[in-house]
Amino acid sequence: MTSQSNLYKFNEIYEKTHLDLLKYVIIKCHNVNDTNDIIQETYLELWNILSKKELKNINIKSYLIGIANNKIKKHYTLLQKIKTISLFEKNDKDIELIDLIKDDINIEKLVVQKDSWTLIWRYIKNKKNQDIPKVFYLYYSLDLSIKKISKELKVNESYIKNLIYRTLKELQEKFGKEDVSSDK
């Protein structure tokens, strides 16, 4: 009977915390492809804890974020942390590189249909710059604003806009402007 009550408690916690934990792990991971593993390990540890003791009077979301944070630290070694070249570096005329990029793409015209999301997501999440899948997931799936994403990722809003605009342009070129699902 105890395992049944643990299952009920676990499911209740999962339903209340999954989206917030997912957002946290996506933001903190260096590679979006690692997200599912870390989420799974976090909830597995929660299950093991629930099997051994009863959690009372705790903020379960903070508790899970602590577990996830430990899982993320274990998952990455110092060798895997790679610094990227900043788009905010200045050229010889003291102009930031990001200011040289055209941003005349009309984001409203590119509509990604739900059945095309899987194909596009697979392409995006394998990008070398792992900020791209993070930004796309947070922006299009979790409906976070550019301002909120930039705050969560601790980067400039123009960097977020640039990632979105450049990637949308790339997606338009790769998958076409009309039906994304027709190119398989």
Side-chain angles (χ1 to χ4, degrees), residues 6 9 14-15 25 35 39 48 50 84 88 90 97-98 104 115-116 127 135 141 154 158 163 167 169-170 184:
N6 286 346
K9 178 98 172 152
Y14 181 86
E15 290 298 319
V25 171
T35 302
I39 293 284
N48 290 334
L50 287 175
T84 59
F88 303 103
K90 295 184 178 186
L97 295 175
I98 194 153
D104 59 352
D115 57 332
S116 302
K127 303 294 282 174
V135 168
S141 288
K154 296 179 178 84
S158 59
L163 286 180
T167 307
K169 185 174 183 177
E170 183 181 334
K184 288 190 178 184

Side-chain angles (χ1 to χ4, degrees), residues 2-181:
T2 305
S3 65
Q4 188 65 27
S5 65
N6 286 346
L7 181 60
Y8 175 77
K9 178 98 172 152
F10 177 84
N11 286 336
E12 184 181 336
I13 292 170
Y14 181 86
E15 290 298 319
K16 289 180 181 177
T17 61
H18 184 267
L19 284 178
D20 289 331
L21 188 65
L22 178 63
K23 181 178 103 176
Y24 177 81
V25 171
I26 285 173
I27 289 168
K28 294 296 182 184
C29 278
H30 302 290
N31 187 327
V32 173
N33 293 315
D34 300 330
T35 302
N36 287 337
D37 292 338
I38 292 169
I39 293 284
Q40 184 177 3
E41 290 172 17
T42 301
Y43 281 111
L44 179 61
E45 185 164 328
L46 173 66
W47 175 258
N48 290 334
I49 290 168
L50 287 175
S51 298
K52 294 176 186 172
K53 65 181 181 180
E54 191 170 331
L55 299 175
K56 291 185 178 181
N57 301 327
I58 64 165
N59 180 340
I60 194 67
K61 188 167 88 172
S62 295
Y63 189 75
L64 279 172
I65 286 175
I67 294 171
N69 200 31
N70 289 333
K71 297 296 178 185
I72 291 167
K73 286 177 185 175
K74 278 185 182 178
H75 193 77
Y76 294 107
T77 64
L78 291 175
L79 296 175
Q80 292 173 311
K81 294 180 180 177
I82 298 171
K83 300 287 180 186
T84 59
I85 297 172
S86 174
L87 289 172
F88 303 103
E89 289 181 20
K90 295 184 178 186
N91 66 8
D92 56 341
K93 296 179 183 174
D94 205 35
I95 299 173
E96 289 183 349
L97 295 175
I98 194 153
D99 292 332
L100 299 173
I101 299 170
K102 290 176 63 177
D103 62 353
D104 59 352
I105 297 172
N106 185 347
I107 204 166
E108 301 296 322
K109 288 187 178 180
L110 182 65
V111 177
V112 179
Q113 296 175 348
K114 208 168 195 156
D115 57 332
S116 302
W117 174 251
T118 305
L119 178 65
I120 293 169
W121 179 244
R122 195 174 303 131
Y123 177 78
I124 289 173
K125 77 178 188 173
N126 290 313
K127 303 294 282 174
K128 185 176 181 180
N129 180 351
Q130 283 294 294
D131 284 346
I132 294 170
K134 288 180 185 182
V135 168
F136 265 69
Y137 193 85
L138 295 170
Y139 187 73
Y140 288 107
S141 288
L142 298 182
D143 290 325
L144 294 182
S145 68
I146 290 172
K147 185 175 189 166
K148 180 76 173 160
I149 295 169
S150 70
K151 183 179 176 187
E152 293 285 347
L153 294 177
K154 296 179 178 84
V155 295
N156 194 305
E157 285 182 44
S158 59
Y159 174 68
I160 301 298
K161 289 177 187 176
N162 179 51
L163 286 180
I164 291 171
Y165 295 142
R166 281 181 134 190
T167 307
L168 286 175
K169 185 174 183 177
E170 183 181 334
L171 290 173
Q172 286 174 334
E173 291 169 2
K174 176 150 178 71
F175 296 105
K177 292 183 181 181
E178 294 170 12
D179 187 2
V180 177
S181 63

